[in-house]
Structure formats: structure tokens, C-alpha cells
Amino acid sequence: LLKKQEEFRKEYVGNVAHELRTPIFALQGYISTLLDGGLYDETINEKYLIRSDKVIQRMTSIVQDLDAISRLESGKLKMEYTTFNIVDVVKEIFESQEYLAKKQNVTLNVETTLPKQFMLVYADKMTITTAISNLVVNAIKYNKPEGGSVRIRFYDMDTRFLVEVSDTGIGIPQEYLSRIFERFFRVDKSRSREQGGTGLGLAIVKHVVEAHNESINVKSTLNVGTSFSFTIKKPSYDKNNSL
């Protein structure tokens, strides 16, 4: 067991170093060029500053995701359960990703069998928002090059809702489905890095869902699309109609 833990630790540290090495070297190159006179060259100074800013944003995303998954795994992330409307959360996520969706020529849709006012859940709003946002961003980024759609459906399951995030994207090979929730695992490493992913998004989703004592599943067909689904509790009311 100790040997396995040590191997896991080494692999984890190696992955973190690998993820940070590329942006750090790129940033060093941009800054060195600017300090060597490029700062006063109008043909490159703005271009290199913009590139530096993008690299810093990527490094910030990596650090934020590492912090999030570390707190989730250690149990140090305090869960604050509240009652909120899950459809409102999805609409806010769609609004925040509207630009990316238009850029990728992807339409965003939400479907439910119940009126919106009945779509109340009892969960930690911040982490659930993060989880759904990660699934939506992935679904947009890995849609087909010519465009497609991302759809969120809600199914009534008595004391819970089943949340399904599906896309019409490139799909995931069956042999990789069991590994996609692993930290830093990528089906297509070159395309993932080009898209700006940290390789931690789905691992965070799984930890968030499991922190709520729920489960997540995935189904995928190559060149047809991928579907992630997880359950989330509804509020429970006592006989006095209070939580």
C-alpha cells in the first residue's frame, strides 16, 4: 500500500510539474524578449504582452483547480447546503459561456419535465455550479468542429433530480471511459492543451458529486456525442412544511 501511495504521489507531482513547465517557459520567453528591447518595438510589444496575459490566465486556472481538488480530497472544503433553483444556476452558466458557445458554433439548451419553480435542490451551490460549469465547458470545447449542441436535461426521481449534460461532440473511445475522471488524464493531449484545459475539470466534477454522497456516470459514442449524468437531492420538508 505504501509503495502504491508513493507511486501515486510521484505521478501526481510529475503531472503538476509538467502542466506548469510549459506555460512557465513560455512566459520566460515572452518577458525576456520584452526586456531585451521588445518592449519598445511596437510591432511585438502588445502581441507579447497579450500572450503573457493568456499564459498567466492558464497558470492561474491550473493553480485554482489544484487548490479546489486538494480541498475536496482532504475534506477541508466546507460544504454549505442551501435550497436553490437548479435551472437558474444552469441559465447563469449558459450566459457566462455564451461567447465560447458562439465561437464554437454550439447551441445551449435546457429541458425539464417540471415547471421551473419546482426545480429546487438542496446542495452546496458553489461547488455544484463549478461541477456543471466544467461539464458544460467541456461539452462546448469538444463538440464537432462544424458546431453542434449542448443540452442539459432534468429528470424527476422522487427525492432527487437526475441531471444529464449531453453534447453532439466527437465522443470518447470506450477504452478511455473508465479513466476520464482521473487527474490530468486526457484522451487527446494535444487538442486538450490547445483548448486550454487543465486536465482536472472532470476530476473536480467527480469529487463534487461524491462529496454530496451522489454518483456520476458517463456514456459516449464516437462521432455521436457524450452524456454525463449525476443525481442531486431535492429539499426535504417536514410536516410543518419547513426544511
Side-chain angles (χ1 to χ4, degrees), residues 86 196 219:
I86 191 67
K219 296 184 296 183

Side-chain angles (χ1 to χ4, degrees), residues 2 13 58 74 103 107 111-112 114-115 136 155 183 207 212 221 231 240:
L2 289 175
V13 171
R58 172 162 171 71
S74 65
K103 183 180 176 183
T107 58
E111 296 179 8
T112 176
L114 294 176
V136 169
Y155 298 92
R183 289 173 296 188
H207 279 294
H212 285 81
T221 303
T231 49
N240 294 319

Side-chain angles (χ1 to χ4, degrees), residues 76-92:
K76 292 180 180 179
L77 184 65
K78 186 178 179 182
M79 306 285 281
E80 296 184 6
Y81 283 77
T82 59
T83 299
F84 58 92
N85 193 299
I86 191 67
V87 175
D88 286 340
V89 167
V90 169
K91 288 184 176 179
E92 289 173 7

Side-chain angles (χ1 to χ4, degrees), residues 56-123:
I56 291 171
Q57 287 180 31
R58 172 162 171 71
M59 291 172 64
T60 301
S61 295
I62 293 172
V63 172
Q64 288 176 337
D65 282 354
L66 284 169
D67 178 61
I69 203 164
S70 174
R71 286 185 292 143
L72 283 164
E73 288 183 343
S74 65
K76 292 180 180 179
L77 184 65
K78 186 178 179 182
M79 306 285 281
E80 296 184 6
Y81 283 77
T82 59
T83 299
F84 58 92
N85 193 299
I86 191 67
V87 175
D88 286 340
V89 167
V90 169
K91 288 184 176 179
E92 289 173 7
I93 291 170
F94 279 179
E95 287 176 6
S96 69
Q97 300 304 327
E98 185 178 7
Y99 174 77
L100 178 62
K102 284 185 177 180
K103 183 180 176 183
Q104 301 287 110
N105 194 27
V106 170
T107 58
L108 305 174
N109 304 289
V110 58
E111 296 179 8
T112 176
T113 56
L114 294 176
K116 176 192 159 186
Q117 63 266 31
F118 295 114
M119 300 301 298
L120 298 178
V121 299
Y122 187 64

Side-chain angles (χ1 to χ4, degrees), residues 139-206:
I140 294 172
K141 287 182 176 180
Y142 297 105
N143 233 292
K144 292 187 177 72
E146 64 271 19
S149 66
V150 173
R151 178 169 54 192
I152 296 185
R153 289 175 174 171
F154 296 97
Y155 298 92
D156 191 359
M157 297 180 65
D158 192 23
T159 60
R160 288 170 169 77
F161 286 113
L162 178 70
V163 184
E164 181 185 68
V165 182
S166 58
D167 62 57
T168 56
I170 58 178
I172 303 167
Q174 293 298 310
E175 62 266 29
Y176 295 136
L177 287 180
S178 62
R179 297 194 60 195
I180 59 171
F181 293 110
E182 294 178 13
R183 289 173 296 188
F184 299 111
F185 180 77
R186 291 183 173 93
V187 175
D188 185 340
K189 291 183 172 60
S190 61
R191 187 165 189 263
S192 295
R193 290 198 172 89
E194 182 183 316
Q195 295 283 8
T198 65
L200 293 168
L202 289 179
I204 289 173
V205 171
K206 186 173 187 289

Side-chain angles (χ1 to χ4, degrees), residues 40-57:
Y40 306 101
D41 186 339
E42 293 183 0
T43 62
I44 67 169
N45 56 10
E46 184 177 4
K47 178 172 67 176
Y48 274 51
L49 285 171
I50 291 172
R51 288 180 180 178
S52 297
D53 181 61
K54 288 182 178 179
V55 171
I56 291 171
Q57 287 180 31

